[in-house]
Amino acid sequence: MTDTCPNCTRRGTAPIAEHHSGDQVSHLYRCAGCGHVWSTNRDLRFYGKEAA
């Protein structure tokens, strides 16, 4: 799953790290454009295979 940088709005940023815990998945991102780092936590029951 890719994400949009919340700092510069660059799209299609791939995660640099991923962690699964039960029905939750966490991704860590670093924007190639501005270097901003952020994380997301998603519930797999709502995102399904797209988040995995």
Side-chain angles (χ1 to χ4, degrees), residues 7-24:
N7 189 53
C8 73
T9 65
R10 182 182 185 131
R11 294 178 184 226
T13 303
I16 58 173
E18 178 176 285
H19 175 74
H20 289 264
S21 179
D23 289 334
Q24 303 291 315

Side-chain angles (χ1 to χ4, degrees), residues 3 6 17 25-30 36-42:
D3 205 354
V25 63
S26 299
H27 289 113
L28 181 66
Y29 297 90
R30 177 177 288 134
H36 184 70
V37 177
W38 73 99
S39 64
T40 62
N41 297 304
R42 293 181 173 100

Side-chain angles (χ1 to χ4, degrees), residues 1-3 15 18 20 25 27 29 40 42-52:
M1 174 171 265
T2 62
D3 205 354
E18 178 176 285
H20 289 264
V25 63
H27 289 113
Y29 297 90
T40 62
R42 293 181 173 100
D43 189 322
L44 293 173
R45 295 172 294 174
F46 298 106
Y47 284 91
K49 293 179 184 177
E50 294 176 7

